[in-house]
Amino acid sequence: MPQTSGDAPILATKLFVPPPRDNIVARSRLCDRLAAARGGRVTLIAAAAGWGKSTLLADWALSTPGEVAWLSLDASEDDPRRLLNYVIAALRTAGVGADELLDALSSKPEAIRIVATELLNAIALYAQPLSLVLDDYHAIESRAAHEVVQFIVDHLPPNLHLVIATRSDPPLALSRLRARGMLIELRGDDLRFTAEETGAFLNGAMGLTLESSDIEELERRTEGWVVGLQMAAISLSGRDGAHSFIQRFSGSNRYVLDYLTDEVLDRQAPHVRQFLLRTSILTRLSPPLCDAVMQRTDSEAVLEELDAANLFLISLDDVRYWYRYHHLFATLLQHHLARACSSEEIADLHRRASEWYARNRMPESALDHALATNDVERAIGVVAANALSRTLVGDMASVVRWFDRLPQERIDRDINLLLARGMTLLGDWQLPRAYECAAKAAALLDEHSAPGQRGAVLGLLGTLERTVGKMDEGNENLQRALPLVEDGTFWASLTRYQAGLAPTYFADAGGLVESLTRVIVPPKRADEVLIPTLAQTIVAFGEWWRGNPDRAVALAHEVFPWIELTREIAEGRPFDGLPNAVLAEVHCSWNDLEAARSFADRALEHGRRGFMLGLFETSRSFARVAMAQKDWEHALRAATDAQRAVRNVGLHFHWAYGADVLIHTILFRRWQWDRNRSDLQAVEKWVTANTVLERLTSWPVRRIGGYYCDTPLLLATRVLIEHEQFEQAAEILKEILPHTVETQRLLSELEARILLSILEARRGRLEDAVTSMRHALDRASAPRYVQPFVDEGPAVQPILERAAAFAADRDFATRVLSAFEGAPAVVRPSTPEGLSERELEVLQLIASGATNQEAGRKLFIASSTVKKHLENIYAKLGVGGRVEAIARARELKLF
């Protein structure tokens, strides 16, 4: 089976080093030059068609002691995302651990640059000598694709040898490489056969018996051009008067090629000539495909005959099942085909090829042949038959490209095509384009539209209206769709699922679990997996949010067998990321960070394989686990991946805005630990620029965030506390708390209660702080949620220690405290001099060099409160300032 990338199925035959042929001529002088190249260098093999570039490289690759990754390029890799996907897949065959990089790519240049950077890092970590061959590089034309390769060239790891084989110089910075001594070049003059190699080829490999003078003359006339020699040898095979033939052999390479092609074709048996011409439309050949196109049953024997006769047939696999013609030879065959057959006959060949590919579940090739003769209706049929099923197993990116190749005006006239395209764009999270399709489909509805079709359109339209923030319109259309959709169809599943999501948009975790549980039907086929997987994953997340983690884990594990149904179609298993994300989040909440990171790694690996919702959710889960581990770099990188995944969703808070909140939450957490002022300033700037407090204190606006609706306000509240704006912070928390309890969003409730405790401590209300923390401990004990407390850092330990003494579940409170690094804080009694415990803590911090503000942060009190404590300390110790107070405390051995 071919591998799967985040962009499209990987054609494995492009990654094979061409197998050795029996008639190869050893070219040790060239192989030695290739072998002399080391990592951190580029080898450029540039020459016109037919100079033996691929054959030379294949011979070298099979004999070189290091690992070689091979990629045969064609025009489809002109897309930079697809090019990079194939480069990653090629390197994987050589053992480079880059699984997590497959198929997370988006169309934006910065995402490609990030993946290319990660790939180069993976190569560097591989450490062993490695060569990457990019064969037929001339097929690449787009500037964006060249920029990907230039980036790799500019940052070559010291263990990577990059080899580029091309017909023309690529638009790369070659002069810079030459100046640095990093470029090894092989040109036509280097590749031409010497007299000795020509003799070995003609008389040895091709089995001729030419005199040395004839060999030298033919070598001179062909200038050592490999394909010219091969064609000459084929023409000479079985011919009398070789000397006179060679003497007549003259002209430039182009004319020689034309002449020899005619000679070769004219000398073939009629059935072979017909086979060559009529199969020249195929980019790949196999016996069943050729049988279908030629309407015959002996293609296997003919292919074996052509292979044995060296008729420019190149094997693409190890078992000689798939072949292709030499590119130039195929072009010439197609030229002769156009002269020998009518356009109708050629169209029939493409039609039969398209039909065969369609029957054999290769829709992309079926589409290629349909469009080769501008057979729009056949192309539409191919896309219509495969679009939804491919979308439903996670290959949205390929289907988006299929639709983009069809005439837009034809799609806009067909409700079913608009439905399929809209769903595919929704799956790829191109929401504005998806919404446009749904709106166009709705405009085509009339009194003759079938109820099922009307229901499908309204269901998709309602879905997209809600995802772009039109909540009331979306809910109304979904309710209109429910009685119309046909049972057993995908559109019925989608509509019921989306209607079941309604409580999400009111941040109602309990209501969501109940409504979605009613619509989940375990799938029986691959194309039924998407909706139940999404629904059950969201229910699992809901159970986690409302404090039922064991139920969340059980639901996540139920999903894995469902995903197995898609294995044959979606080998990359992009849906696997979702249940793994649930498991990562639950284990993180339990403070089981090792297990959480393992699940998060697995989730992100699958999430990057082309399913944009999966990429978003898995990136976000990974970021939160990494944040808990204080792995700030990877946390920010994953959060940025989540942000990029939703760049096309518009202004919907729950996605685009929510990813932005996560990034700044990580920055705030890092500031808590590292005290890098720039992190806090970035958060402050974001809160101000996004007018968080002004926009989101209104519930109708905030509700769109779903489970995460309070996250930006909680982050803004943290900033307010840092600025000692305690009253405003308290008002926000007291408004949030009742709603989190009402909607069963325990995780939000815990964060709000812990923040309220910190707030009360900072403004000197220690008893209130302990009460709030005790409530948080009591609420967290049943689900065993430890991490929300640990995330706040050791500064909350003093409050926790006091609250633990009053907790309903002392064992759980002890477990929370034990999760903090370092020894518990020491609680001292009042001193003989009358200093209270808090005054002694202030004095110790001042003695260590802390400012009033720093001491306040550590003790969760205002700096003004620190100042009042100091005034009391001075009075009790009978001193006039902090220096005297510190000296007096040391005399009394208070610390």
Side-chain angles (χ1 to χ4, degrees):
M1 291 293 294
Q3 302 167 14
T4 300
S5 74
D7 200 34
I10 292 292
L11 182 61
T13 52
K14 290 186 178 184
L15 311 180
F16 281 110
V17 177
R21 302 184 67 90
D22 294 337
N23 62 353
I24 193 171
V25 174
R27 310 194 74 186
S28 56
R29 62 186 178 87
L30 299 178
C31 287
D32 289 344
R33 289 182 61 180
L34 289 170
R38 295 290 184 265
R41 300 288 191 276
V42 177
T43 294
L44 176 67
I45 305 179
W51 284 97
K53 301 182 292 295
S54 299
T55 302
L56 168 65
L57 282 175
D59 185 32
W60 163 76
L62 292 168
S63 61
T64 190
E67 291 289 344
V68 176
W70 184 284
L71 173 55
S72 297
L73 298 166
D74 59 38
S76 63
E77 279 77 70
D78 215 29
D79 175 355
R81 287 189 302 165
R82 191 172 175 85
L83 170 63
L84 193 51
N85 272 327
Y86 266 97
V87 169
I88 292 168
L91 288 165
R92 288 178 71 231
T93 66
V96 176
D99 286 2
E100 72 280 8
L101 300 178
L102 276 175
D103 239 27
L105 290 173
S106 70
S107 61
K108 296 294 183 179
E110 60 267 26
I112 293 173
R113 181 66 58 89
I114 289 169
V115 173
T117 300
E118 290 299 315
L119 176 61
L120 293 172
N121 291 339
I123 294 171
L125 289 173
Y126 179 71
Q128 301 301 315
L130 175 68
S131 297
L132 170 62
V133 176
L134 301 180
D135 195 21
D136 290 336
Y137 189 83
H138 52 268
I140 303 300
E141 296 181 354
S142 77
R143 177 180 177 182
H146 288 306
E147 286 175 352
V148 172
V149 178
Q150 183 66 59
F151 181 82
I152 294 173
V153 168
D154 288 342
H155 302 87
L156 274 182
N159 60 320
L160 178 64
H161 173 208
L162 179 63
V163 184
I164 298 174
T166 177
R167 293 180 185 175
S168 57
D169 280 12
L172 305 175
L174 299 178
S175 59
R176 188 164 65 213
L177 291 172
R178 290 190 191 100
R180 295 176 179 175
M182 294 175 59
L183 184 65
I184 296 96
E185 296 179 75
L186 295 179
R187 302 283 180 174
D189 285 344
D190 301 302
L191 295 171
R192 64 180 294 174
F193 270 26
T194 64
E196 292 76 17
E197 289 169 338
T198 301
F201 176 74
L202 295 173
N203 285 351
M206 300 302 294
L208 302 176
T209 56
L210 300 179
E211 297 291 334
S212 59
S213 59
D214 289 333
I215 292 173
E216 291 172 4
E217 180 64 17
L218 195 54
E219 188 273 332
R220 186 185 68 81
R221 289 175 178 267
T222 62
E223 299 183 82
W225 185 36
V226 180
V227 168
L229 287 169
Q230 188 175 15
M231 288 185 171
I234 292 171
S235 298
L236 284 166
S237 180
R239 177 192 291 274
D240 294 330
H243 179 75
S244 60
F245 170 82
I246 293 171
Q247 293 300 316
R248 296 193 307 272
F249 190 84
S250 63
S252 67
N253 286 349
R254 186 175 73 252
Y255 299 132
V256 168
L257 182 58
D258 287 344
Y259 173 79
L260 287 177
T261 302
D262 288 340
E263 283 286 315
V264 170
L265 289 176
D266 287 345
R267 290 175 59 82
Q268 301 307 311
H271 77 282
V272 174
R273 177 185 174 88
Q274 184 187 52
F275 185 93
L276 290 169
L277 294 182
R278 292 175 181 269
T279 57
S280 66
I281 66 162
L282 302 172
T283 57
R284 291 176 292 150
L285 300 88
S286 70
L289 173 58
C290 293
D291 279 344
V293 171
M294 295 289 296
Q295 295 183 312
R296 58 197 295 170
T297 59
D298 62 344
S299 294
E300 183 174 8
V302 177
L303 286 169
E304 290 176 355
E305 181 181 350
L306 295 177
D307 191 28
N310 299 308
L311 271 175
F312 312 108
L313 198 64
I314 299 170
S315 176
L316 296 175
D317 55 34
D318 295 329
V319 296
R320 296 190 180 278
Y321 181 81
W322 283 102
Y323 296 88
R324 70 166 174 86
Y325 291 121
H326 185 284
H327 297 314
L328 186 56
F329 188 54
T331 301
L332 291 168
L333 290 175
Q334 291 161 12
H335 170 72
H336 286 285
L337 176 67
R339 292 166 55 187
C341 297
S342 68
S343 58
E344 290 78 10
E345 290 175 306
I346 295 173
D348 281 341
L349 296 174
H350 281 290
R351 175 183 56 78
R352 290 195 285 269
S354 181
E355 289 175 349
W356 186 88
Y357 277 121
R359 287 195 305 271
N360 286 274
R361 298 170 65 187
M362 300 181 190
E364 190 134 16
S365 294
L367 181 62
D368 289 339
H369 283 283
L371 292 176
T373 55
N374 200 32
D375 189 344
V376 173
E377 292 307 312
R378 177 169 296 281
I380 285 174
V382 170
V383 173
N386 293 278
L388 194 57
S389 61
R390 288 291 285 269
T391 294
L392 298 185
V393 295
D395 190 13
M396 291 82 172
S398 292
V399 183
V400 169
R401 288 198 309 273
W402 297 352
F403 273 111
D404 287 344
R405 297 177 67 185
L406 300 178
Q408 181 66 47
E409 64 277 6
R410 176 63 180 81
I411 299 173
D412 288 347
R413 300 197 306 267
D414 190 315
I415 290 179
N416 291 329
L417 287 175
L418 287 167
L419 279 171
R421 190 181 200 189
M423 183 60 211
T424 298
L425 290 167
L426 169 60
D428 203 43
W429 275 24
Q430 298 189 40
L431 298 190
R433 293 181 69 194
Y435 177 72
E436 183 182 356
C437 287
K440 287 178 178 178
L444 293 176
L445 293 173
D446 56 31
E447 65 275 10
H448 303 295
S449 300
Q453 187 178 62
R454 182 181 294 275
V457 171
L458 292 174
L460 180 61
L461 182 62
T463 296
L464 286 161
E465 284 171 334
R466 285 203 315 200
T467 56
V468 297
K470 297 183 177 182
M471 304 295 298
D472 294 334
E473 297 95 323
N475 287 331
E476 181 181 350
N477 277 321
L478 285 168
Q479 291 303 314
R480 291 171 60 198
L482 283 172
L484 298 174
V485 290
E486 298 179 8
D487 288 341
T489 65
F490 163 75
W491 301 110
S493 298
L494 175 68
T495 302
R496 290 164 185 161
Y497 161 65
Q498 288 293 333
L501 280 175
T504 305
Y505 298 96
F506 296 90
D508 183 358
L512 176 73
V513 168
E514 294 173 8
S515 65
L516 273 189
T517 299
R518 289 194 295 266
V519 304
I520 296 174
V521 177
K524 297 179 180 178
R525 305 192 313 266
D527 61 358
E528 296 176 343
V529 170
L530 176 61
I531 297 300
T533 295
L534 291 176
Q536 183 124 329
T537 299
I538 292 174
V539 170
F541 273 126
E543 294 285 23
W544 167 59
W545 268 88
R546 68 176 187 163
N548 296 325
D550 295 323
R551 177 61 179 156
V553 168
L555 290 169
H557 281 295
E558 287 179 7
V559 174
F560 290 111
W562 302 353
I563 298 172
E564 281 291 327
L565 297 171
T566 70
R567 176 179 289 277
E568 292 186 4
I569 304 173
E571 191 174 346
R573 298 167 60 90
F575 297 159
D576 259 7
L578 294 175
N580 275 298
V582 173
L583 297 173
E585 297 274 25
V586 171
H587 282 270
C588 184
S589 296
W590 287 337
N591 189 234
D592 184 1
L593 298 186
E594 183 177 350
R597 185 60 175 260
S598 177
F599 286 120
D601 286 339
R602 217 172 308 157
L604 195 54
E605 173 190 346
H606 293 284
R608 285 174 168 165
R609 293 179 176 173
F611 178 40
M612 297 305 290
L613 175 59
L615 176 59
F616 175 69
E617 290 292 355
T618 59
S619 295
R620 193 160 57 176
S621 294
F622 182 97
R624 283 195 287 262
V625 172
M627 179 170 61
Q629 296 178 309
K630 305 174 193 62
D631 181 359
W632 312 119
E633 179 183 354
H634 287 95
L636 285 169
R637 186 180 303 171
T640 303
D641 284 345
Q643 187 183 56
R644 283 199 308 272
V646 295
R647 63 165 51 89
N648 292 321
V649 304
L651 298 178
H652 193 306
F653 164 75
H654 175 48
W655 292 332
Y657 196 64
D660 216 20
V661 176
L662 177 58
I663 290 173
H664 290 87
T665 299
I666 295 167
L667 291 176
F668 188 90
R669 291 296 192 193
R670 186 169 69 178
W671 176 79
Q672 283 184 305
W673 287 90
D674 298 345
R675 293 292 165 176
N676 186 332
R677 179 64 186 172
S678 63
D679 284 339
L680 181 59
Q681 288 172 338
V683 177
E684 292 168 339
K685 182 178 179 181
W686 178 83
V687 168
T688 301
N690 287 273
T691 59
V692 173
L693 296 174
E694 294 82 351
R695 291 174 58 217
L696 295 176
T697 50
S698 169
W699 173 242
V701 176
R702 197 167 86 239
R703 67 172 188 172
I704 300 175
Y707 297 158
Y708 305 97
C709 66
D710 296 321
T711 305
L713 275 179
L714 290 170
L715 180 58
T717 302
R718 293 179 181 278
V719 174
L720 291 173
I721 293 172
E722 290 303 319
H723 289 286
E724 300 186 0
Q725 298 179 29
F726 300 134
E727 291 303 324
Q728 188 177 3
E731 288 177 9
I732 294 172
L733 292 174
K734 288 176 180 177
E735 189 276 334
I736 286 175
L737 266 170
H739 190 267
T740 61
V741 174
E742 179 186 348
T743 57
Q744 301 182 44
R745 289 183 298 116
L746 178 63
L747 285 167
S748 293
E749 178 193 342
L750 290 177
E751 184 176 357
R753 289 192 184 281
I754 294 169
L755 262 182
L756 184 59
S757 175
I758 293 170
L759 166 64
E760 298 293 13
R762 287 287 295 273
R763 60 180 176 179
R765 300 176 180 178
L766 187 58
E767 184 176 345
D768 291 339
V770 171
T771 299
S772 184
M773 188 66 76
R774 177 177 60 80
H775 286 158
L777 284 170
D778 291 346
R779 296 287 288 147
S781 64
R784 311 182 302 286
Y785 287 166
V786 173
Q787 195 61 37
F789 301 92
V790 180
D791 280 341
E792 300 299 335
V796 297
Q797 276 185 271
I799 307 173
L800 272 168
E801 287 169 351
R802 291 169 174 82
F806 304 99
D809 187 339
R810 297 287 186 87
D811 290 339
F812 175 73
T814 301
R815 179 178 174 183
V816 172
L817 285 169
S818 67
F820 285 86
E821 296 178 357
V826 177
V827 179
R828 296 177 180 269
S830 297
T831 67
E833 287 69 27
L835 295 181
S836 69
E837 175 189 337
R838 178 48 56 90
E839 288 168 347
L840 184 59
E841 289 174 336
V842 170
L843 187 54
Q844 288 174 321
L845 288 170
I846 295 302
S848 69
T851 64
N852 287 6
Q853 189 175 26
E854 289 169 342
R857 284 204 187 98
K858 290 181 180 294
L859 296 174
F860 295 96
I861 58 178
S863 57
S864 58
T865 304
V866 173
K867 185 178 178 181
K868 289 179 180 178
H869 283 307
L870 284 173
E871 292 172 353
N872 292 336
I873 291 169
Y874 300 159
K876 292 177 181 181
L877 295 180
V879 298
R882 70 171 59 202
V883 175
E884 294 179 23
I886 294 169
R888 178 63 177 157
R890 285 175 177 158
E891 287 176 10
L892 296 172
K893 298 182 180 180
L894 298 181
F895 50 78

